Amino acid sequence: MPRIKLTIAYDGTDFVGWQRQADGDSVQQILEEKLEVLLKQPVSLHGSGRTDAGVHAQGMVAHFDSPMTLPLKAYRDGLNGLLPTTIAVQNAEEVSDDFHARFQAKGKWYRYSLFCSPVRSPQHCRTSWHLKRPLDHEAMAQAAGLLVGTHDFAAFRNAQCDAKSTIREIYSVALTPSDQELHIDVQGSGFLRNMIRMIAGTLVEVGQGKRTPDQVAEMLRSGHSDQHRLTAPPQGLSLMRVWY
Amino acid sequence: MPRIKLTIAYDGTDFVGWQRQADGDSVQQILEEKLEVLLKQPVSLHGSGRTDAGVHAQGMVAHFDSPMTLPLKAYRDGLNGLLPTTIAVQNAEEVSDDFHARFQAKGKWYRYSLFCSPVRSPQHCRTSWHLKRPLDHEAMAQAAGLLVGTHDFAAFRNAQCDAKSTIREIYSVALTPSDQELHIDVQGSGFLRNMIRMIAGTLVEVGQGKRTPDQVAEMLRSGHSDQHRLTAPPQGLSLMRVWY
């Protein structure tokens, strides 16, 4: 049974997220259904992690054990022929039997996209967070710099997050403006639940002058926030890449 | 009654097109409904022309006579507060009583977007035409050059098109590659029904080696096509701008 690693892109607008759920279509469930059609038997697909409802991916990784040996292109093209246009397998590779999409992930790159303009853009509404007023990029870059390194990110996780340790390492946070868009690219060893969306929300508050970079430093030191924390909406987020 | 000119952007994915129709939501109908809410009485909105189901716009223009005199920003922000996120008024201006969005349009700019890659991209599936194989850009540019000028475009219209004259002037056709995308930007005095999508379909056939630039020249000379004509799918098309 060859173990196959898939790299998957999806537009998360119409899905309840990566993971199977009782209500609504998840990306994992649709992929497992199509794998069953392709391979004529049920297959379990293991993703590198969850993405929330409405979150996108350009490079989600998942693996499964194939009950048949097909040419690698046949997995990719066979699945793409069955999947809706909002999900596409970008690549299929054979990996060793001890590869695990979740447990062996060494790092991830997420992008959060902001669209800053007095008027919203229908062309960007599914893939970014619309903000009417200009942001102070310099203050945001200063706060972003503080996040880099190994810190206790307890202040940047959702109340439902049940991770035992809240220590994570962020390799880089880059802010890239382009026309009316601002991309926040975050690379790190791994992330707590809602961590990137809370980082994006916090950086936006800094850009709006509602929070200072010093307060962000304090959130990292104390492990909690003295204020209401803003979680950026899901449609601005995209999982770009997973490293092994 | 001030006459108001609106510049409107929309993502056409979920609409039956610009124009009111019996079945499904049109952009015009939704705008007229929201204008009625804002202005407390029914208002007729006149667009610069139709767009087909699934076609997008970044700069559709329409006018109406307002039964109230509001600050111009109130039309824009008032409508945007009522409209779904897939439609947004970009600008509202007061124009003279003899302005007409359709009859006074001097030119239009349409963009047709292709996405060329062995694998489709969910991030581009709502806004471009996916083609698996690379295209011959040089042959396409040669054919595109032939379209520029005043010609009989009878070979580039839908069978349902009832325009009396099929003579139109194209000011420019520009092909711009960017990563895996190829934009076909067409500017002209006005267009026949499906003309841009048939131009895009024809240029793609040239890019695929299925049709020669000489055959395109013959289509312009003869006013008809000797072959099946390919109409590019609607989601790749966007009305960028209308000039007055």
Side-chain angles (χ1 to χ4, degrees), chain A residues 9-11 80 82-88, chain B residues 120-123 125-126:
Chain A
Y10 48 89
D11 178 308
N80 287 339
L82 296 166
L83 288 164
T85 56
T86 47
I87 305 178
Chain B
R120 70 168 178 266
S121 159
Q123 276 70 35
C125 68
R126 289 189 173 91

Side-chain angles (χ1 to χ4, degrees), chain A:
Chain A
M1 295 234 288
R3 182 157 288 189
I4 306 294
K5 174 189 174 194
L6 299 178
T7 305
I8 304 147
Y10 48 89
D11 178 308
T13 309
D14 300 334
F15 301 111
V16 296
W18 166 263
Q19 196 164 40
R20 260 182 189 281
Q21 286 185 37
D23 58 331
D25 291 334
S26 71
V27 179
Q28 181 189 24
Q29 171 207 328
I30 292 176
L31 278 161
E32 285 181 342
E33 282 169 13
K34 302 312 178 191
L35 277 169
E36 185 170 347
V37 173
L38 188 71
L39 303 170
K40 325 259 189 265
Q41 55 181 281
V43 161
S44 290
L45 188 66
H46 303 272
S48 62
R50 301 172 186 183
T51 56
D52 291 336
V55 171
H56 314 291
Q58 293 190 34
M60 169 61 96
V61 172
H63 78 266
F64 66 96
D65 292 319
S66 177
M68 293 186 203
T69 301
L70 299 180
L72 291 169
K73 245 182 126 177
Y75 294 107
R76 185 190 78 182
D77 296 345
L79 286 170
N80 287 339
L82 296 166
L83 288 164
T85 56
T86 47
I87 305 178
V89 174
Q90 302 295 300
N91 198 21
E93 299 161 73
E94 187 168 345
V95 286
S96 66
D97 278 1
D98 59 0
F99 175 87
H100 195 288
R102 181 165 166 216
F103 301 126
Q104 288 184 326
K106 290 216 176 85
K108 288 180 186 171
W109 164 23
Y110 279 96
R111 168 170 288 179
Y112 198 92
S113 298
L114 307 172
F115 185 79
C116 302
S117 165
V119 179
R120 70 167 177 267
S121 158
Q123 275 70 33
H124 293 84
C125 68
R126 288 190 174 92
T127 53
S128 61
W129 183 16
H130 175 226
L131 298 163
K132 290 194 179 177
R133 288 174 199 194
L135 299 169
D136 179 345
H137 290 196
E138 234 170 279
M140 291 174 77
Q142 201 187 330
L146 298 170
L147 298 166
V148 177
T150 302
H151 300 285
D152 181 349
F153 286 96
F156 295 89
R157 66 163 171 174
N158 180 290
Q160 272 102 57
C161 176
D162 55 6
K164 280 178 199 155
S165 165
T166 53
I167 309 287
R168 292 290 184 279
E169 184 180 358
I170 288 189
Y171 306 141
S172 66
V173 183
L175 305 184
T176 315
S178 125
D179 292 326
Q180 293 157 302
E181 281 191 292
L182 179 67
H183 295 309
I184 303 173
D185 287 299
V186 185
Q187 303 191 355
S189 60
F191 299 97
L192 301 164
R193 191 147 179 203
N194 279 10
M195 180 168 155
I196 304 279
R197 288 167 57 190
M198 294 179 91
I199 285 176
T202 302
L203 292 179
V204 163
E205 286 182 323
V206 170
Q208 292 169 331
K210 291 179 187 165
R211 201 186 278 270
T212 64
D214 279 349
Q215 288 172 308
V216 175
E218 181 53 28
M219 286 168 74
L220 289 170
R221 261 194 304 271
S222 67
H224 60 82
S225 170
D226 50 347
Q227 298 177 46
H228 168 78
R229 296 167 305 170
L230 181 61
T231 303
Q235 79 277 3
L237 186 59
S238 193
L239 172 57
M240 303 298 282
R241 201 162 160 183
V242 185
W243 289 282
Y244 293 90

Side-chain angles (χ1 to χ4, degrees), chain B residues 51-159:
Chain B
T51 56
D52 292 336
V55 170
H56 314 291
Q58 294 190 34
M60 169 60 96
V61 172
H63 79 267
F64 67 96
D65 292 318
S66 177
M68 294 186 202
T69 301
L70 299 180
L72 290 169
K73 243 182 126 177
Y75 293 107
R76 185 190 77 181
D77 295 344
L79 286 170
N80 287 339
L82 297 166
L83 287 164
T85 56
T86 45
I87 306 177
V89 174
Q90 302 295 300
N91 198 22
E93 299 161 73
E94 187 169 345
V95 286
S96 66
D97 279 1
D98 58 1
F99 175 87
H100 195 288
R102 180 164 166 216
F103 300 126
Q104 287 184 327
K106 290 215 176 85
K108 287 180 185 171
W109 165 21
Y110 279 96
R111 168 170 287 178
Y112 197 93
S113 298
L114 307 174
F115 184 80
C116 301
S117 165
V119 180
R120 70 168 178 266
S121 159
Q123 276 70 35
H124 293 84
C125 68
R126 289 189 173 91
T127 53
S128 61
W129 182 17
H130 174 226
L131 298 163
K132 291 194 178 177
R133 287 175 200 195
L135 300 169
D136 179 345
H137 290 196
E138 233 171 280
M140 291 174 78
Q142 200 186 331
L146 298 170
L147 298 166
V148 176
T150 303
H151 299 285
D152 182 349
F153 286 96
F156 295 88
R157 67 162 170 176
N158 181 291

